[in-house]
Amino acid sequence: MTPIELFILIILLLLSVPDLCARLGRPTLLYALYLMVGLLLGPLLDAEVRKLLAEIGRFGFILLLFEIGLEIELPPVNNLLAPVKLALKWGALQAPVLLALARWAGLTWTESVLGAAALIGCSVSMTFLAWQHFPTPSQDNKRHLLLWMVSIEIMAILVLTAGSALLKHGFGFAFLAQLFLIAAAVALISRYANRLTGILGRQLESTSRWKAHYVVLFVFLVSAVGARLGLSESKTAFFLGLFMSRATHEGLALSHHLRPIGQHLLIPIFFVSLGAFVPLGMLATQLGLMAVAAVIIILLLRDLLHRTWVKSGCQRSAFLLVCPNLTIVAIAANTMREFGSPPAHIAWLVLTGLILSLAAIVLLPKPVAPPAG
């Protein structure tokens, strides 16, 4: 397949996949379907085309992390304490099992830590609509459920941020220095996020065209500065979005302005490129069976935990809301790919995250559209 043929196909996907998800009543399947298309396309791509797809997808990955941060509205610290404690207990009780599953699949200890953190993680963007329509005893329970999901997502990304530094430097002085630079970059972003938001807001208000281009340029510029301070472009984008999240509630609607270039172009290309990186033949190997077995074990374990030690206060199936984790798995897989992890290790993680996300989305109740009028 030539580059032009590939991008003709991607444009056709961009035109058809969102409509297909809407007809199925499962809009949260969007990224999973793009990744599955990448799996099918992989054998048709030669090395040059695969590299081109990965390079373009890298920019979509940065925008994806910015949008993940942007979707999280940080509440006051006092409101986060209970959900954070629940998230920590949820992660701690699962971590030994997930580490064992990753080691069983052949991952190194460092890769296993990254994989376990990613699989524990929650993609709020994938299940937000399902959360909105999920039946809960009260609005307080509903809000608590969302904060639990958000806490799990942030916890996973923080572990993955440290894990990427560990993969790069190993444990030692260089690793600690890298963590210090990461903390400095995050502190700078948090300090100047409001000022940057104001500058961007004034720029958007002064133009009736190119709003998406201004937002994308802004994200890439800040991400490039963060990379110079030791924080990767994608993680910088996440923390920038996290500390700018209030902008979406003050009339800027950054996610809306970003959609034509992000959600409608570069982010889907990233998921297609990630799927193409996983050899399709692995689905029918022992590795694929191990991914399926891991998903079954994870779902059974989470059902047990939710009914016993980690209760959300909602009905039994509420734990399914924190199971879709494809965007977080994508972060870990991309990190492993950058640092030369074997394709089989990355494939196991991606397949496990994909199957787990699909299973949870299918098992969750369909969102019910509000009555017309």
Side-chain angles (χ1 to χ4, degrees), residues 29-368:
L29 282 175
L30 191 64
Y31 292 156
L33 289 181
Y34 286 130
L35 194 147
M36 292 170 68
V37 169
L39 280 170
L40 297 174
L41 280 179
L44 304 177
L45 306 179
D46 59 31
E48 181 182 352
V49 176
R50 194 189 304 269
K51 182 179 179 180
L52 174 64
L53 187 62
E55 287 298 321
I56 297 175
R58 177 184 174 190
F59 297 102
F61 186 59
I62 293 172
L63 296 181
L64 172 68
L65 268 289
F66 177 69
E67 289 206 352
I68 290 174
L70 202 61
E71 76 190 5
I72 299 173
E73 182 186 0
L74 287 176
V77 175
N78 290 340
N79 293 350
L80 259 182
L81 290 178
V84 166
K85 288 179 181 178
L86 196 67
L88 289 172
K89 186 190 295 186
W90 179 254
L93 291 172
Q94 291 182 68
V97 175
L98 292 173
L99 282 170
L101 289 171
R103 292 290 292 162
W104 178 46
L107 277 66
T108 67
W109 276 109
T110 303
E111 292 169 347
S112 296
V113 170
L114 289 177
L119 292 173
I120 289 172
C122 168
S123 299
V124 176
S125 59
M126 294 184 69
T127 53
F128 185 77
L129 184 60
W131 167 80
Q132 286 182 313
H133 298 275
F134 193 82
T136 55
S138 67
Q139 284 302 311
D140 286 340
N141 288 101
K142 199 175 192 72
R143 179 66 176 169
H144 177 75
L145 190 57
L146 178 62
L147 293 179
W148 181 37
M149 295 160 60
V150 168
S151 300
I152 292 173
E153 184 169 37
I154 293 176
M155 179 179 68
I157 291 177
L158 290 175
V159 174
L160 291 175
T161 299
S164 61
L166 187 62
L167 268 180
K168 185 175 182 179
H169 300 288
F171 188 78
F173 177 77
F175 169 68
L176 296 176
Q178 182 77 27
L179 287 186
F180 175 80
L181 288 173
I182 288 172
V186 173
L188 283 172
I189 293 171
S190 65
R191 179 177 178 83
Y192 293 105
N194 288 339
R195 190 175 301 178
L196 292 171
T197 301
I199 294 172
L200 180 60
R202 288 191 293 273
Q203 188 63 52
L204 292 176
E205 290 172 358
S206 66
T207 181
S208 59
R209 303 172 61 191
W210 316 117
K211 292 182 186 290
H213 299 75
Y214 277 118
V215 177
V216 171
L217 177 62
F218 171 76
V219 173
F220 286 161
L221 282 173
V222 177
S223 297
V225 173
R228 290 289 181 180
L229 293 175
L231 188 63
S232 72
E233 296 101 332
S234 54
K235 304 301 192 309
T236 301
F238 167 75
F239 287 109
L240 176 65
L242 183 65
F243 293 115
M244 290 182 65
S245 59
R246 292 182 181 178
T248 59
H249 306 285
E250 295 174 358
L252 291 182
L254 296 183
S255 182
H256 172 74
H257 294 315
L258 191 59
R259 190 171 293 126
I261 297 178
Q263 293 181 10
H264 294 169
L265 181 60
L266 291 178
I267 294 175
I269 290 176
F270 165 71
F271 278 101
V272 171
S273 72
L274 182 62
F277 184 79
V278 178
L280 182 62
M282 287 188 176
L283 286 170
T285 65
Q286 183 180 1
L287 192 77
L289 294 176
M290 292 169 77
V292 173
V295 169
I296 294 172
I297 292 170
I298 291 169
L299 288 173
L300 292 175
L301 174 63
R302 290 183 177 179
D303 180 47
L304 174 64
L305 291 177
H306 186 247
R307 288 186 288 109
T308 53
W309 297 292
V310 192
K311 298 179 180 179
S312 67
C314 299
Q315 62 176 269
R316 180 174 176 175
S317 61
F319 81 92
L320 292 170
L321 287 169
V322 299
C323 288
N325 52 21
L326 199 54
T327 57
I328 310 301
V329 165
I331 298 172
N334 200 63
T335 300
M336 291 167 64
R337 183 168 61 175
E338 287 178 355
F339 294 107
S341 293
H345 296 181
I346 300 171
W348 176 83
L349 178 59
V350 171
L351 290 176
T352 304
L354 174 62
I355 297 168
L356 179 61
S357 298
L358 288 173
I361 290 169
V362 170
L363 291 172
L364 278 167
K366 283 188 179 181
V368 179

